[in-house]
Amino acid sequence: MAVASFVLGLVGLLVFNVVLGPLALVLATLALWRGTTRRGRAFLGLALGAADLIVLVSLATSDHTVSWSFGS
């Protein structure tokens, strides 16, 4: 679960952060609660999940939408 939260948080920075961010947060919290041996990955998943939500909120407030693209 710790590795899955890390991967989902990382992918969530680029695409589909509405779902992948909270999912990374939940998986990281569950992994830490169950006492995983990969605590570093779980904390990274927690941080990346939070970063996904921060990116989502900042883009939603600047564009008034929940989608974004690299082009203009």
Side-chain angles (χ1 to χ4, degrees):
M1 278 192 283
V3 175
S5 71
F6 171 71
V7 171
L8 290 176
L10 194 59
V11 172
L13 285 174
L14 299 175
V15 293
F16 215 43
N17 53 1
V18 173
V19 174
L20 296 181
L23 191 58
L25 287 173
V26 169
L27 285 176
T29 304
L30 283 174
L32 288 170
W33 185 66
R34 290 184 178 182
T36 183
T37 58
R38 298 181 178 188
R39 294 182 58 83
R41 297 272 168 90
F43 282 122
L44 282 173
L46 199 63
L48 287 171
D52 290 346
L53 295 179
I54 291 170
V55 166
L56 174 67
V57 167
S58 66
L59 290 173
T61 57
S62 67
D63 291 347
H64 303 292
T65 183
V66 293
S67 64
W68 60 281
S69 64
F70 290 112
S72 52

